[in-house]
């Protein structure tokens, strides 16, 4: 790794680490946009969970198409992409979502991508992180985003794979053999801030079209199908999932701090973990803008000081 305080005339090749954090991962799009506009060449991407999704789509050259498609989705559209899982290992299979993703980016193998790419998943039975660096890109992304309780695990090569953020929310280690000028990590578990980011969370709670305001009805329906018809059921309590997601956020933030302290990259871009809820995917514009502004505040300041 080289110092970020290099002359601007030197090549700015980048190993980019895209962290996990649910809907906050949409900020990765803004970071990538800033890097592109300022002549940074992304030669390697290591991504976990949402970072694997955004990074993988970017590596196929289809990020523009993905962004346009995602911005058109309403909360109802997002709910329509959920498909019921019947094996009790999660609520959503993800087949509908990945069918749409396949129509956008095709079905490339990782080793054929123009940008070197690693998706990080968790082998839950052996308690190990798994680096997915070859084979189906779609399968690698599917494994990396398998958020516990939400998506069902991916069973592949005798392994049960779930969300990469469980063990490594900021996957720095895959970049160690890279020879790029800079290693830039985007941490979605940054310190909470009482700024515009927090306003996003507050306003979303009041938005009648919020994904969260409709999600409890979906999950109530899904849960009822798992129970016997003659069993009395109470309405699904979204608070259970809200608490679960906050607990998962806290766990990821703690692990991320440890990883960043042990293996510091050249530059860390911090997205506050209260920027939006883990499942608030209707906040795509706000999160992209936040990612772009975060890159400008950190990387832009470094450029101006050189």
């Amino acid at each position: 790794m080289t110092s970020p305080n290099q002359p601007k005339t030197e090549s700015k090749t980048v190993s980019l680490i895209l962290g996990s954090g649910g809907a906050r991962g949409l900020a990765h799009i803004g970071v990538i946009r800033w890097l592109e506009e300022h002549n940074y060449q992304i030669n390697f991407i290591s991504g976990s969970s949402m970072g694997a999704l955004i990074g993988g789509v970017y590596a196929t050259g289809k990020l523009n198409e993905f962004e346009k498609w995602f911005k058109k989705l309403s909360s109802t559209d997002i709910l329509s992409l959920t498909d019921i899982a019947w094996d009790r290992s999660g609520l959503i299979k993800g087949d509908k979502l990945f069918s749409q993703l396949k129509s956008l980016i095709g079905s490339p193998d990782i080793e054929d991508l123009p940008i070197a790419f690693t998706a990080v998943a968790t082998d839950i039975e052996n308690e190990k992180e798994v680096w997915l660096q070859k084979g189906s890109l779609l399968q690698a992304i599917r494994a990396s985003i398998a958020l516990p309780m939400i998506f069902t695990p991916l069973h592949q090569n005798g392994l049960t794979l779930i969300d990469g953020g469980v063990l490594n929310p900021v996957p720095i280690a895959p970049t160690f053999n890279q020879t790029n000028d800079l290693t830039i990590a985007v941490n979605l578990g940054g310190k909470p801030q009482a700024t515009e980011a927090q306003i996003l969370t507050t306003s979303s709670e009041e938005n009648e079209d919020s994904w969260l305001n409709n999600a409890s009805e979906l999950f109530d329906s899904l849960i009822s199908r798992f129970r016997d018809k003659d069993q009395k059921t109470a309405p699904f309590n979204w608070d259970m999932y809200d608490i679960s997601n906050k607990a998962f956020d806290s766990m990821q933030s703690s692990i991320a701090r440890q990883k960043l302290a042990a293996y510091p990259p050249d530059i860390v871009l911090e997205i506050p973990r209260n920027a939006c809820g883990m499942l608030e995917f209707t906040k795509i514009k706000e999160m992209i803008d936040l990612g772009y502004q975060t890159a400008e505040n950190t990387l832009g300041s470094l450029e101006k000081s050189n």
Side-chain angles (χ1 to χ4, degrees):
M1 300 181 187
T2 55
S3 169
N5 297 319
Q6 292 177 321
K8 292 175 65 175
T9 56
E10 291 190 17
S11 175
K12 294 182 288 188
T13 57
V14 173
S15 294
L16 185 61
I17 302 157
L18 301 178
S20 65
R24 292 191 301 280
L26 296 168
H28 293 321
I29 299 175
V31 171
I32 290 171
R33 293 288 179 240
W34 192 95
L35 292 172
E36 286 182 322
E37 291 178 10
H38 292 80
N39 198 33
Y40 288 80
Q41 181 178 333
I42 301 170
N43 287 343
F44 179 84
I45 296 174
S46 173
S48 186
S49 195
M50 196 64 179
L53 173 59
I54 300 300
V57 171
Y58 176 71
T60 68
K62 299 291 185 178
L63 189 59
N64 286 339
E65 290 83 350
F66 176 84
E67 181 182 341
K68 290 177 182 178
W69 168 68
F70 215 99
K71 282 182 174 178
K72 292 179 181 178
L73 296 178
S74 66
S75 59
T76 302
D77 294 328
I78 293 174
L79 289 174
S80 73
L81 292 174
T82 61
D83 41 7
I84 301 169
W86 298 104
D87 62 4
R88 297 177 180 266
S89 60
L91 292 177
I92 300 169
K93 291 187 295 184
D95 292 347
K96 290 183 179 180
L97 172 62
F98 275 82
S99 177
Q100 288 291 319
L101 190 60
K102 182 178 180 179
S103 70
L104 285 172
I105 69 173
S107 52
D109 288 334
I110 294 173
E111 55 267 40
D112 296 329
L113 296 173
I115 297 174
F117 175 77
T118 297
V120 176
T122 298
D123 172 3
I124 191 61
E125 293 178 344
N126 296 302
E127 300 178 358
K128 296 179 180 179
E129 65 180 83
V130 176
W131 297 358
L132 302 170
Q133 299 175 314
K134 62 181 180 179
S136 168
L137 173 64
L138 289 174
Q139 288 288 87
I141 295 172
R142 176 63 182 83
S144 189
I145 70 165
L147 183 67
M149 297 181 69
I150 303 296
F151 282 102
T152 58
L154 179 73
H155 301 283
Q156 180 174 289
N157 299 326
L159 302 178
T160 300
L161 302 177
I162 65 170
D163 195 294
V166 170
L167 292 181
N168 198 346
V170 187
I172 300 169
T175 69
F176 286 170
N177 292 328
Q178 299 298 312
T179 58
N180 293 304
D181 297 311
L182 292 172
T183 300
I184 300 174
V186 185
N187 176 27
L188 302 179
K191 182 179 179 181
Q193 294 183 1
T195 62
E196 182 180 355
Q198 192 173 43
I199 295 174
L200 294 182
T201 304
T202 302
S203 63
S204 69
E205 295 172 353
E206 300 171 352
N207 183 356
E208 293 182 357
D209 195 41
S210 170
W211 194 89
L212 289 173
N213 287 341
N214 295 285
S216 61
E217 296 179 8
L218 168 71
F219 290 126
D220 190 17
S221 173
L222 295 181
I223 289 293
S224 67
R225 300 194 186 194
F226 286 113
R227 299 181 184 270
D228 295 334
K229 292 182 179 180
D230 60 350
Q231 184 178 357
K232 294 181 179 180
T233 62
F236 182 82
N237 185 359
W238 173 254
D239 287 345
M240 178 181 72
Y241 271 79
D242 190 34
I243 292 171
S244 175
N245 288 332
K246 288 179 179 178
F248 192 65
D249 262 348
S250 297
M251 177 193 73
Q252 288 190 109
S253 296
S254 177
I255 296 173
R257 288 194 297 271
Q258 295 173 23
K259 296 285 186 182
L260 291 168
Y263 309 108
D266 295 310
I267 296 169
V268 180
L269 304 180
E270 298 273 359
I271 303 296
R273 61 178 178 271
N274 63 337
C276 77
M278 184 173 286
L279 299 177
E280 289 187 281
F281 288 101
T282 55
K283 294 299 177 183
I284 180 170
K285 183 181 184 302
E286 292 91 336
M287 293 312 302
I288 291 175
D289 290 346
L290 178 60
Y292 189 96
Q293 190 59 50
T294 299
E296 173 63 26
N297 292 343
T298 303
L299 293 164
S301 297
L302 287 173
E303 287 197 344
K304 292 175 183 178
S305 65
N306 291 333

